[in-house]
Amino acid sequence: MVAMASTANRKIETYEEFAKVHALLLAASGLPECLHRRLFEKLSGELFDGGNHFQIEPCEGGRQRRLVLTSVSMETDSEVFLVDHAWTFRLSDAYKQLREVPGLSERMGSLMCVDVDVSSDDGEDEGNGELGVEETLEREVGEAKEKGNGTLRWLELEGLNIDDAMLVSLALPTRFPDLVALSLLGNKLNSAEVVVQEVIKLKHLKGIWLNNNLGLKNCDGKLAGLILKELPELEIYNSSFTSNFGEWALGFCAGIYGKDNPVNADHTSLHTVSSLDLSNRNIHNLKNKAFTPICLPSLTYLNIQGNPLEQNSVGDLLDLLQRFPCLRSLEVDIPGPLGRRAIDILESLPNISELNGIDASKILETGKHVIDSMLLPRLPEWTPDEPLADRIINAMWQHLMTYRLADEEKLDETPVWYVMDELGSALRHSDEPNFRVAPFLFMPEGNLASAVSFSILWPTQNVRKGDECTRDYLLGIGEDKQRSARLTAWFHTPENYFIRAYEKHRQKLLSTSLMPPTFQYSGTQSIHRHGGRPLLVYTDIPHVEEYLTHPEFAITNEPKDADIIWTSVQVDEDMKKATGITDQQYINQYPFEACLVMKHHLAETIQKAHGSPQWLQPTYNLETHLSQLIGDYCIRKREGLDNLWILKPWNMARTIDTTVTDNLPAIIRLMETGPKICQKYIEQPALFQGKKFDLRYIVLVRSMHPLEIFLSDCFWVRIANNQYSLARSSLFEYETHFTVMNYRGTINHKNASEFVREFEEEHQVKWLDIHTRVRKMIRSVFEGAAVAHPEMHSPTSRAMYGVDVMLDSSFQPKLLEVTYCPDCTRACKYDMDIVIGEGGVAKSCDFFNNVFRCLFLNETSQVSQL
């Protein structure tokens, strides 16, 4: 958040004026006071002199850049630099700007290193795949003859457009029966049955790679099982170790076995291995006849990161590693299979001098538990035919920074995102950074209208020529705010740790099934006043004041005189004292109703009461369950499932700061704009004439104990303006994925009766069946609240809630949210044909009369009890 002071309206000419106007901004930036005057000088002179002190260098094979100091030295807090903002935008405008602003996509593509392809086809004619295959085979056979007896044992047929028919016609088992390794990576294989039929004929096969064949993507697990069943000697499948791995797989990872040396009759080949990288090999059990100190007596470096190893206990793994006499350097997930703390691992393995690239003595001295210094960077990925704008949208989350404007009166609802210029964007992350960056809003005329945004950069440690300049991407965020999990936005963190967290969470949900208590029903009493006088109602809601015309009620302007308080604001103790409201007055709020109307509490309430019901999409509070969300995301990605999610602020309406994305770094970075839930997006909703829609129901609650709730016969449908699409560009289109058009866009009004008739015709369903399921779901929601939060009960509370529902493509209801004091403009503005129950017409002028009659007089008209 960028705070703004009250400002004058004249040009700032002196440092004293600058310091006064920007006092809050300077304090918020964290810039040392000794640099304030220097900042003023550079801002006044628009002095961008970073190029005199720094140099940008490519790294990670050209897929990242880093910033290096070129000055002889730079002392702590000795200088401040201006960093321009190359792109500033609201998230909803990002895609549109990339397409329409001249030169923007080209600059961002270059800055983010996504403007060139990582690999190319080397001129190969894509339409001549069969000729390419035969040429490759001839070359491979020729090389085998040159190196030995002509027996081909290692064959790589990658990216050659081989389909199922071509694979069969190649007759590889007949032509090359002695193959030990076969790679068919990146082809067009589609049939698991055909692949199994051909591959299992290669009885000597020890390694096979079938990755990146889109047709096989969703049957990978089944395919692996079928092949392994027939090939007991297979040790590597799609880069993962099989349960049969042994000396060959270990030798492959050690660089002993490969194309030039497919096999070795000497089974002592591992004896000289000193370095072994087994990371991300999907190893479940490390205890193996080949992975022993006898076979690997010289092993000094071992990397086992990214493996589940769930078949080994912590004790067994530590005992195994202790027996390697020369092992000094170890890389492992922390938390992970060896435990949760680096210190504990080192105490159990006293011979280890380096853990995850950090000196063991330093870890023991500092008491550091989580070691993330050696995490691999999350580099941008794309396909050659992917549009540049799409590449940028995917990659930008490694570069974006954000702020939200605020003054003494209000906070800007929508955050601002920005990309620093090439110099600022080259600053990479470090847990021990030597520089710090902060956004700064300069107001040269002393007012917000003249404001220009920059970032400011200054050294926080002594830096020498040639040192890389770094910053902390998560400055001020510790493990209490899920620092290690949030680093996943920039680095490949241990997936298995997050998967275990998810599985534990899911198991807890699946084992939860609270039965609602059995209430002895006794109807809530009407509150008719003696003497025949009407009940006095105080309200700040214009529609209630205008349309509550029933003779049993009368409007009063004095809260303290009212029998009923019907308000849109929270009635807390301060408000009671200020207005004279007492505990004997009826209020349209229930104690602790936040368990329903705040999105994160609603999910927690449902999960506490019902576990994981079909009508609630998987939902995570990102402030507390980010690790579980990451685990769920990783499993879905691994299994080829849809991974589209919607992020919603805890307590904002009208879809403010709501985002739909399938990008994990985006999900994590969006936490920076305020607390949110992350919910699995309903990617296949029921559509109305090709458009997304949702339904608003009105629920009246007379009592929480016993539960006494009613559903209004009036409901309304809200329809998106655009045809539904999952195209990446559409995810930024409000009028495609959202339905609330009261505040932006054009309202696509549709009478409920017309909607139901046309929907039944379009989908050949009966609305009554859908309505029955919706009623059951809504009852379950409030039962869950009553069970999970008995403290909601209050004899002087009566309330109306909006319940928003969406239907999936199977016409099953999905709960979206519950709203306090819902906007009932439509119910008060339009007469509605009632499409359920006894039918009839719901007069707009009677809506609030019927609500108040139900809640306070125990009379039911155009409502039904749930």
Side-chain angles (χ1 to χ4, degrees), residues 287-347:
K287 298 185 75 172
N288 179 280
K289 61 184 179 181
F291 187 76
T292 65
I294 296 175
C295 295
L296 291 158
S298 305
L299 187 64
T300 59
Y301 166 84
L302 174 66
N303 186 343
I304 54 173
Q305 288 182 330
N307 293 294
L309 298 173
E310 81 286 356
Q311 296 179 16
N312 302 125
S313 67
V314 172
D316 286 345
L317 285 173
L318 290 172
D319 179 65
L320 175 61
L321 296 178
Q322 284 171 358
R323 290 189 276 123
F324 285 86
C326 299
L327 187 61
R328 296 293 181 267
S329 180
L330 177 65
E331 294 196 36
V332 63
D333 297 336
I334 304 174
L338 294 185
R340 299 184 59 84
R341 294 161 31 108
I343 292 173
D344 294 341
I345 295 171
L346 290 174
E347 289 176 348

Side-chain angles (χ1 to χ4, degrees), residues 333-336 340 484-485 494-502 627 631:
D333 297 336
I334 304 174
R340 299 184 59 84
S484 293
E495 286 190 2
N496 292 304
Y497 168 74
F498 299 116
I499 289 172
R500 282 194 293 271
Y502 161 73
S627 292

Side-chain angles (χ1 to χ4, degrees), residues 772-802:
T772 300
R773 291 194 287 270
V774 170
R775 287 175 58 89
K776 183 178 179 181
M777 182 198 75
I778 293 175
R779 170 78 189 187
S780 295
V781 171
F782 285 86
E783 282 179 344
V787 171
H789 295 280
E791 65 272 20
M792 280 189 71
H793 173 64
S794 169
T796 56
S797 292
R798 306 282 191 276
M800 174 175 71
Y801 299 98

